[in-house]
Amino acid sequence: MVENKQYISALDIGTSKVIALIGELIDDEIHIVGIGQAPSRGLKAGMVTNIDATAQAIKQAMSEAEHMADCKITHLVTGIAGNHIRSLNSQGVVKIKDGEVTQTDIERAKETAKAVNIPPDHQVLHTVVQEYIIDNQPGVREPIGMSGVRLDTRVHIITGAVTAMQNIQKCVQRCNLTVDDIMLQPLASASAVLTEDEKELGVCVIDIGGGTTDIAVYTNGAIRHTAVIPVAGDLITRDLAHALRTPSNSAEYIKINYGVALANIDGLDDMVEVPSVGDRRSRQISRRVLASVIQPRVEEILELTLNELRRSGFPEEVLTSGIVLTGGASLLRGMVELTEEIFDLPVRIGVPPEMAGLSERVRNPRYSTVIGLLQAAKERHQQGQSQSAGISNTSRRNILKKVNVDIFATENSDETDTLEPKRRPVQQPVQQQIEEPQMGWFARLREWINKTL
């Protein structure tokens, strides 16, 4: 007997790398069974610039993950970023129809909140509910069943360029895969590394990847602001390649293994071998010299983030929980200290939660986005099961209803111009009244099933 295993998959299409994850759902828990990774050469600042190169990287990463998991994936959830992403907060107000909030009232309020002007080349990517307000009572999280007259819904709307989403889908479809959902990468990273307490008190997650720096701000338990800055780790690599006169792949290796974001910390006197371009001999430089090249670029990234937060109305005072850094560049030594110095807030490194299976391999800030996408794939899978169960129950009720209707019609087939069924003689013996309708009902049911099937 073949086991009916349930697999979900997530794909992080980044500027520097493509990561594929496959998880098996066991008792509603994710067990990571497949990991694949490939260098990315077809994106710039989070946007596709070469469909063929991106599709090749996706195929390589997915093949590696499928081989490890020993399964074949057809559907997945992927992410999107880039400086085309826009976000805004909106609200929608409706009258509660029957004095008690229903799902229909909530959907009407959401649709009202979504009635905002967006650029013609953009489409809505997410509509995230922040809170509900019933008759001036704020902070309602689950309004269904509550009494009231007026329902006010506050939402966070995220839009993206239509062409950017289409290019992502084209790259995935060229690998014979289907995109179930496209999720904004800052939301995915935040779901993987933030705690509920941090979201309540106020926190900003900063995901410094290869091509973009993604920002997500939470206060009072809900998303309040999202943004994407097209300056990130790849520029650090380029700075090192130019300053040290070394190939880009060597600069990337040096950044990952010896990079330092703060030059005035101790223990930076050890030497690092730096390959030269062409046939020239390699050189030895200290890690303090590396820090002098890396620190200005990291400061620029963090200052751009700080300016974005202030511009959007979320100064440092709002972020009681502080800053959570994630992404590959967050692993640079001295990153926490430099961020605390610039923001004057507590800072920690965000690491994805522990999962079963190959979890230890992905408990790294580099995998925060893809772990968040995998969690989104799990939620989507569970919602699909719930909807299927609802459809199944509805279909079952419709079939039974049709059976009853057809039986009723059969019982009254000899009547004309009347909707009332025949009344059976009350003088019949009790035993006859019980047995005859039962035998007739089953016979007619069997006859109806044979005709229908």
Side-chain angles (χ1 to χ4, degrees):
M1 182 177 179
V2 180
E3 294 184 21
N4 185 21
K5 296 183 178 181
Q6 297 178 326
Y7 293 105
I8 55 175
S9 183
L11 185 68
D12 178 14
I13 307 173
T15 303
S16 60
K17 62 185 180 302
V18 175
I19 304 174
L21 277 189
I22 298 175
E24 182 183 356
L25 291 180
I26 302 176
D27 297 329
D28 289 335
E29 296 293 332
I30 299 176
H31 291 241
I32 297 176
V33 294
I35 305 172
Q37 184 169 323
S40 178
R41 296 288 182 267
L43 281 85
K44 184 176 182 181
M47 298 184 67
V48 176
T49 57
N50 188 323
I51 289 180
D52 290 334
T54 304
Q56 186 62 36
I58 293 172
K59 185 178 295 185
Q60 181 181 341
M62 285 302 303
S63 298
E64 185 179 333
E66 289 174 338
H67 179 74
M68 184 180 296
D70 191 22
C71 69
K72 182 65 178 176
I73 296 297
T74 57
H75 293 71
L76 54 81
V77 172
T78 189
I80 192 170
N83 60 356
H84 62 95
I85 297 295
R86 298 290 182 271
S87 69
L88 70 155
N89 295 319
S90 180
Q91 69 180 96
V93 182
V94 296
K95 180 181 178 181
I96 301 173
K97 279 192 174 180
D98 299 321
E100 183 176 300
V101 180
T102 63
Q103 187 63 40
T104 303
D105 296 320
I106 292 175
E107 295 302 326
R108 287 170 48 233
K110 285 183 183 178
E111 289 301 319
T112 304
K114 288 167 63 175
V116 295
N117 292 325
I118 62 173
D121 59 340
H122 274 224
Q123 73 180 43
V124 175
L125 185 61
H126 296 288
T127 303
V128 185
V129 175
Q130 297 170 327
E131 67 172 340
Y132 299 97
I133 301 174
I134 299 177
D135 294 344
N136 297 321
Q137 177 187 344
V140 177
R141 300 288 175 84
E142 297 293 340
I144 293 180
M146 296 185 66
S147 299
V149 177
R150 181 175 180 268
L151 176 63
D152 185 348
T153 303
R154 307 291 173 90
V155 299
H156 183 69
I157 299 174
I158 301 168
T159 69
V162 176
T163 54
M165 299 183 198
Q166 290 174 342
N167 288 334
I168 290 288
Q169 289 181 321
K170 285 181 181 178
C171 294
V172 176
Q173 289 169 355
R174 287 200 178 190
C175 303
N176 297 320
L177 297 166
T178 301
V179 178
D180 285 338
D181 195 13
I182 299 179
M183 185 177 185
L184 183 66
Q185 290 180 359
L187 292 182
S189 301
S191 68
V193 302
L194 294 183
T195 66
E196 292 302 321
D197 290 338
E198 287 175 326
K199 293 179 181 179
E200 285 290 341
L201 293 175
V203 66
C204 175
V205 59
I206 305 174
D207 184 353
I208 308 176
T212 62
T213 297
D214 304 333
I215 305 169
V217 178
Y218 287 79
T219 61
N220 297 323
I223 184 71
R224 304 294 173 178
H225 180 66
T226 50
V228 178
I229 300 174
V231 180
D234 280 358
L235 292 182
I236 299 175
T237 302
R238 191 183 70 177
D239 292 344
L240 287 172
H242 282 269
L244 306 180
R245 298 185 179 88
T246 188
S248 294
N249 57 347
S250 298
E252 180 72 12
Y253 177 84
I254 291 171
K255 180 188 74 174
I256 292 173
N257 293 278
Y258 305 104
V260 183
L262 194 59
N264 60 359
I265 59 177
D266 298 330
L268 300 182
D269 296 327
D270 47 331
M271 306 301 287
V272 178
E273 183 175 354
V274 179
S276 296
V277 179
D279 297 330
R280 300 174 182 84
R281 291 189 303 175
S282 59
R283 293 157 292 132
Q284 297 284 330
I285 63 170
S286 69
R287 295 184 70 183
R288 199 172 301 278
V289 173
L290 292 180
S292 66
V293 177
I294 295 173
Q295 182 173 343
R297 182 65 74 178
V298 174
E299 287 178 343
E300 178 192 9
I301 294 171
L302 296 176
E303 287 171 357
L304 286 172
T305 303
L306 180 60
N307 292 335
E308 171 64 23
L309 294 177
R310 289 173 174 171
R311 183 196 63 79
S312 58
F314 295 96
E316 303 90 295
E317 297 79 12
V318 178
L319 308 175
T320 307
S321 294
I323 305 294
V324 176
L325 293 174
T326 192
S330 67
L331 295 174
L332 290 171
R333 184 180 172 188
M335 195 71 178
V336 171
E337 293 84 353
L338 181 58
T339 306
E340 288 178 340
E341 184 179 312
I342 291 177
F343 283 84
D344 195 24
L345 288 170
V347 179
R348 74 172 179 91
I349 301 296
V351 180
E354 185 175 354
M355 295 180 178
L358 304 172
S359 174
E360 287 303 319
R361 290 188 55 180
V362 296
R363 287 209 71 202
N364 186 301
R366 293 188 180 94
Y367 296 94
S368 296
T369 299
V370 73
I371 288 292
L373 293 173
L374 195 66
Q375 292 173 339
K378 172 191 170 184
E379 294 175 3
R380 183 178 179 84
H381 177 82
Q382 291 174 335
Q383 290 173 358
Q385 283 187 324
S386 300
Q387 292 174 357
S388 298
I391 293 172
S392 178
N393 291 333
T394 303
S395 301
R396 190 179 298 110
R397 288 193 297 269
N398 291 337
I399 289 173
L400 291 175
K401 182 178 179 182
K402 190 176 190 328
V403 169
N404 291 331
V405 169
D406 287 354
I407 290 173
F408 179 81
T410 304
E411 289 179 345
N412 298 278
S413 58
D414 56 343
E415 297 184 14
T416 57
D417 300 327
T418 178
L419 294 177
E420 294 186 2
K422 286 184 177 181
R423 299 183 182 274
R424 299 191 182 276
V426 297
Q427 295 84 2
Q428 290 181 345
V430 176
Q431 184 68 22
Q432 183 180 1
Q433 290 181 19
I434 295 175
E435 290 180 355
E436 287 189 4
Q438 283 187 343
M439 295 299 293
W441 190 91
F442 280 107
R444 286 189 293 273
L445 174 61
R446 187 164 54 251
E447 181 182 357
W448 179 86
I449 290 175
N450 291 333
K451 288 181 179 179
T452 304
L453 298 181

